[in-house]
Amino acid sequence: MAGITNAPFRVLCREQGAGLFVCEMITTRALVERNPKTMRMIRFADSERPRSIQLYGVDPDIVGRAARMIAEEDLADHIDLNFGCPVPKVTRRGGGSALPYKRNLLRRILRAAVANAGALPVTMKMRKGIDDDHLTYLDAGRIAVEEGVAAIALHGRTARQHYGGVADWEAIRRLKEAVTEIPVLGNGDIWSADDALRMVAETGCDGVVVGRGCLGRPWLFRDLENAFNGSDERARPTLGEVADTMARHAEGLTECFDIERYAIADFRKHVGWYLKGFTVGADLRRELATAESLEGLRSSLAKLERDQPWPPNTDTPRGKSGERDRVHLPDGWLDDPYDCVVPEDAESDISGG
């Protein structure tokens, strides 16, 4: 969810319902080097409690330093370690969803994070493995328990699947059966609150993690809270209410980014997600998706048919999709699943999230 879960969007989601809202993934190296972009990315709104930082790292020593920095400087209340990212620029350096294949390196990273985090809980997210021939989630789950991780989230896809196909909820069930000491959270293909209820019923998981399901749908968290509290009430905003949320989102980004044109350019990717299913003419959609100023965006939003009701059957996939032909890995990465060698260029030019 890089480029999505910044403070303005987290605030919109948090207002809707209970949950733990995690910031964009940042690199441990960039954090310990106090990279200016990274330090801006970990800013939280005053209303955000608990504050949650998601880290990506490959070197146990740097991960440990980052965890200690977060704890000692009170930068957050929770640390989440990302071993689920499937993008090539991460996996080709041994990070993200490539890393759990190296069991002992994973152990060293988790041990360093937990030891240096003090009283802060450390959780981790992961995928099933690199591909169907290199599944790692059960081994990684046991290692997480042994190293003091507070909870595990499993995305029911491999790195090779990327975001294609259907998430394997059966793998979440198997992990929950194998790991009973700490909470296991399920992730993948939760587009509605009813999907979340079904995942819990089918897998026995202790909770759910939502990624792409909240794109253009911050009110999903209101639905989730209602669903888990036994209520059938679901949010069904009119197009006017959606437009008001869009305006608030863009305004929040403007305050966060300081430079208005950057904020509005960043907001453009959200337009299609917010309007999915609504009847909006092509010209107006284009106008909204190419707005260059906050005033221009507001002017275009005012042209929407505010009374248009929530469209049916829109709780469907949004965001990235499709599988990859292969997973980009460091040379020789699959030769030995137990070595602890950190790739020489693991984080050499990644500094800022």
Side-chain angles (χ1 to χ4, degrees):
M1 299 291 282
I4 305 294
T5 53
N6 44 39
F9 187 62
R10 293 196 307 268
V11 167
L12 290 177
C13 293
R14 187 181 295 271
E15 289 175 353
Q16 298 295 320
L20 180 65
F21 299 91
V22 185
C23 79
E24 302 171 80
M25 182 182 78
I26 64 168
T27 73
T28 51
R29 176 186 171 211
L31 182 62
V32 299
E33 290 179 350
R34 299 183 185 276
N35 175 280
K37 177 182 176 183
T38 294
M39 300 310 288
R40 288 194 299 271
M41 290 172 68
I42 63 170
R43 290 186 301 188
F44 293 90
D46 293 340
S47 62
E48 291 192 81
R49 286 292 188 279
R51 302 159 300 163
S52 181
I53 286 181
Q54 185 177 98
L55 297 177
Y56 151 72
V58 180
D59 187 318
D61 293 335
I62 298 178
V63 171
R65 289 168 59 192
R68 187 184 316 118
M69 178 178 169
I70 292 170
E72 292 181 349
E73 299 183 21
D74 189 30
L75 299 179
D77 308 299
H78 162 242
I79 297 172
D80 187 46
L81 300 177
N82 187 317
F83 300 112
C85 182
V87 301
K89 74 174 183 179
V90 170
T91 61
R92 69 164 49 103
R93 299 179 184 278
S97 52
L99 199 142
Y101 183 75
K102 299 291 191 181
R103 275 72 164 176
N104 290 336
L105 181 57
L106 174 67
R107 185 181 296 277
R108 286 183 57 203
I109 289 174
L110 296 179
R111 183 172 297 175
V114 172
N116 285 280
L120 301 185
V122 175
T123 60
M124 63 179 279
K125 63 174 294 188
M126 61 182 179
R127 287 184 172 234
K128 291 168 56 181
I130 292 174
D131 53 35
D132 287 339
D133 294 324
H134 302 88
L135 299 178
T136 54
Y137 67 100
L138 293 177
D139 286 349
R142 292 311 315 164
I143 293 169
V145 170
E146 292 164 5
E147 296 304 328
V149 169
I152 314 168
L154 175 63
H155 184 155
R157 287 181 171 88
T158 63
R160 186 181 182 280
Q161 283 182 276
H162 204 64
Y163 296 97
V166 177
D168 178 10
W169 290 4
E170 179 65 16
I172 299 170
R173 184 188 66 78
R174 287 193 292 269
L175 180 64
K176 176 57 185 174
E177 290 177 349
V179 175
T180 59
E181 299 91 336
I182 60 176
V184 171
L185 311 177
N187 177 221
D189 294 350
I190 295 177
W191 308 107
S192 69
D194 293 332
D195 290 336
L197 292 178
R198 185 165 56 86
M199 176 184 278
V200 171
E202 293 181 9
T203 70
C205 66
D206 300 287
V208 300
V209 173
V210 174
R212 294 174 298 152
C214 69
L215 296 176
R217 301 289 189 273
W219 41 85
L220 174 59
F221 297 99
R222 189 193 326 170
D223 289 349
L224 288 168
E225 184 170 10
N226 286 337
F228 284 119
N229 286 330
S231 171
D232 293 330
E233 182 181 350
R234 301 290 183 265
R236 294 294 181 263
T238 64
L239 183 53
E241 291 170 324
V242 171
D244 292 342
T245 300
M246 294 172 70
R248 285 193 58 210
H249 192 167
E251 290 161 3
L253 288 172
T254 301
E255 294 174 4
C256 180
F257 283 16
D258 297 327
I259 301 177
E260 183 175 316
R261 68 177 184 276
Y262 291 165
I264 300 305
D266 184 77
F267 177 75
R268 291 172 186 165
K269 61 177 174 280
H270 295 272
V271 170
W273 297 328
Y274 275 115
L275 298 181
K276 183 171 183 177
F278 286 103
T279 301
V280 179
D283 290 344
L284 182 52
R285 282 181 181 269
R286 189 179 308 110
E287 189 177 308
L288 287 162
T290 58
E292 296 184 353
S293 68
L294 188 57
E295 188 56 40
L297 178 67
R298 289 179 179 137
S299 177
S300 297
L301 289 172
K303 299 177 184 178
L304 293 170
E305 182 186 345
R306 291 188 60 85
D307 293 337
Q308 189 176 146
W310 178 258
N313 304 317
T314 57
D315 294 331
T316 54
R318 294 178 296 284
K320 303 171 184 176
S321 62
E323 297 190 4
R324 297 294 175 92
D325 292 335
R326 66 187 179 94
V327 181
H328 296 265
L329 300 168
D331 290 341
W333 190 252
L334 298 178
D335 292 348
D336 183 354
Y338 296 101
D339 73 51
C340 289
V341 178
V342 177
E344 186 176 342
D345 60 347
E347 299 180 36
S348 62
D349 63 355
I350 302 175
S351 189

